[in-house]
């Protein structure tokens, strides 16, 4: 299913470059919302759903073709810690997809004519812990245990009929193995995106080995990196394209660094719209921004791609 459009995201990637949105948290914080809670933007699924629609809409109007839902830190375990029962958590996970759909409907009603798609965000196990471990991996869990953690919410998100499942900010090849097992048979395509440091995953595995896991996965329509420094992208794009033969997805951070203890960003932005041409020439077909990359940068990407 697509958002009031015809044609799949996979078809679009086969014929050109597609623009992703930027950081959901960045846009929500700029609108004055407090995201210091461990549920991050997922808290607003229950408390301020309209704010999430408005954030998605801002990115669609800025030129994004794909909205990534606010379900990155939305897990049954995380909701349970806040006293939210499983039935309500199921509803909130499904709501994340519907809110992005609503934003696409509003964008079309306001005159946006291009196809718009919805990617259901599936963050790593470490995102639920909310202690920075998604930047390290190595949780002490087996692949089977990680698969059991991810599969239930993947089933719920898939049932909400997004266009694609965004398996994102994955720090560890072992967790990638679990996620690739967990998406089998769901009937929804996926992309797999690692968080990296140089030529390795955050857990230290070589990217050649990490990307190779997805090479023969029929469910995976794109593979790449996100939530990393812009400077790490060029080599990762080349490696992902060479190892998998699949379209490459790229959405780095602004270049600033996250301090998990202080729960704050530091440093300066090194992200520029001009970088996208090199990424595209290297094989990237799904390009956007992650943390601290807002609608202005997405407009720049949209224009740089000649859209």
């Amino acid at each position: 299913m697509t958002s009031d459009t015809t044609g799949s995201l996979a078809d679009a990637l086969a014929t050109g470059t597609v623009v992703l949105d930027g950081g959901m948290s960045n846009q929500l914080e700029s609108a004055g919302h407090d995201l210091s809670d461990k549920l991050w933007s997922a808290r607003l699924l229950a408390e301020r759903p309209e704010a999430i629609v408005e954030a998605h809409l801002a990115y669609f109007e800025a030129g994004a073709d794909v909205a990534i839902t606010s379900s990155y830190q939305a897990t049954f375990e995380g909701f349970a810690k806040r006293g939210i029962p499983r039935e309500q958590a199921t509803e909130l996970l499904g709501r994340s997809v519907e809110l992005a759909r609503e934003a696409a409907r509003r964008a079309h009603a306001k005159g946006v004519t291009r196809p718009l798609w919805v990617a259901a965000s599936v963050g790593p196990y470490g995102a639920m812990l909310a202690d920075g471990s998604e930047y390290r991996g190595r949780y002490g869990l087996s692949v089977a245990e990680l698969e059991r953690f991810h599969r239930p919410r993947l089933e719920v998100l898939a049932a909400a009929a997004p266009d694609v499942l965004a398996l994102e900010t994955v720090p560890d090849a072992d967790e990638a193995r679990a996620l690739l097992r967990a998406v089998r048979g769901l009937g929804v395509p996926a992309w797999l995106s690692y968080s990296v440091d140089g030529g390795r995953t955050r857990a230290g595995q070589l990217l050649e080995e990490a990307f190779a896991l997805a090479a023969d996965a029929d469910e995976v329509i794109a593979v790449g990196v996100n939530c990393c420094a812009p400077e790490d992208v060029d080599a990762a794009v080349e490696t992902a394209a060479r190892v998998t033969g699949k379209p490459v997805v790229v959405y780095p951070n602004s270049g600033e660094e996250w301090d998990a203890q202080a729960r704050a960003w530091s440093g300066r932005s090194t992200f520029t719209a001009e970088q996208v041409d090199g990424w595209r020439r290297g094989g990237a077909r799904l390009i956007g921004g992650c943390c601290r990359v807002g609608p202005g940068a997405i407009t720049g990407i949209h224009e740089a791609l000649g859209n």
Side-chain angles (χ1 to χ4, degrees):
M1 177 186 291
T2 55
S3 301
D4 303 327
T5 71
T6 57
S8 70
L9 180 58
D11 290 338
L13 294 177
T15 58
T17 307
V18 177
V19 180
L20 279 170
D21 61 9
M24 170 62 73
S25 61
N26 179 79
Q27 182 61 16
L28 290 170
E29 287 175 335
S30 69
H33 299 287
D34 179 10
L35 302 183
S36 59
D37 187 279
K38 287 188 175 182
L39 284 177
W40 204 25
S41 58
R43 177 175 59 83
L44 299 186
L45 286 169
E47 298 179 7
R48 294 293 302 275
E50 179 62 23
I52 294 174
V53 176
E54 291 171 355
H56 286 314
L57 180 59
Y59 280 116
F60 281 141
E61 292 185 311
D65 304 311
V66 182
I68 301 175
T69 65
S70 54
S71 52
Y72 176 79
Q73 268 171 303
T75 64
F76 290 112
E77 293 80 358
F79 282 132
K81 291 177 181 178
R82 290 292 302 276
I84 297 174
R86 195 173 187 86
E87 182 177 353
Q88 185 181 357
T90 298
E91 178 186 348
L92 294 176
L93 281 163
R95 181 181 297 175
S96 71
V97 175
E98 177 52 35
L99 295 177
R101 291 273 184 228
E102 173 60 21
R105 286 191 286 269
R106 293 187 192 182
H108 284 139
K110 294 178 73 171
V112 174
T113 58
R114 65 185 183 279
L116 301 175
W117 292 279
V118 171
S121 174
V122 181
Y125 179 84
M128 181 272 294
L129 300 177
D131 62 358
S133 60
E134 71 263 43
Y135 295 109
R136 299 187 299 271
R138 307 281 85 184
Y139 316 117
L141 299 178
S142 68
V143 172
E145 288 171 323
L146 288 168
E147 181 182 358
R148 287 194 293 271
F149 167 79
H150 285 295
R151 177 73 185 198
R153 68 170 171 155
L154 279 164
E155 291 175 340
V156 172
L157 288 169
D163 298 295
V164 63
L165 295 164
L167 314 178
E168 58 178 355
T169 325
V170 180
D172 192 326
D174 284 347
E175 186 159 24
R177 287 187 180 91
L179 284 161
L180 291 171
R181 291 182 188 179
V183 297
R184 290 174 186 163
L186 293 179
V188 179
W191 78 59
L192 174 65
S193 180
Y194 288 99
S195 177
V196 302
D197 184 7
R200 294 178 180 269
T201 68
R202 296 282 185 171
Q205 298 107 344
L206 289 171
L207 288 185
E208 287 88 346
E209 299 170 5
F211 289 137
L213 298 175
D216 296 323
D218 293 338
E219 295 85 359
V220 177
I221 61 171
V223 62
V225 295
N226 77 290
C227 205
C228 61
E231 294 76 16
D232 287 337
V233 169
D234 288 340
V237 168
E238 186 279 328
T239 302
R242 172 172 50 82
V243 171
T244 70
K246 296 177 183 287
V248 179
V249 56
V250 169
Y251 50 121
N253 292 339
S254 68
E256 298 164 82
E257 294 188 1
W258 173 248
D259 184 330
Q261 296 301 316
R263 298 190 67 78
W265 292 93
S266 63
R268 65 182 183 86
S269 174
T270 58
F271 183 103
T272 66
E274 289 73 20
Q275 293 165 324
V276 304
D277 186 54
W279 300 343
R280 177 171 56 176
R281 284 187 281 106
R285 292 294 176 267
L286 193 55
I287 301 175
C290 198
C291 299
R292 307 288 284 180
V293 177
I298 300 307
T299 296
I301 292 173
H302 183 76
E303 293 173 347
L305 293 172
N307 293 338

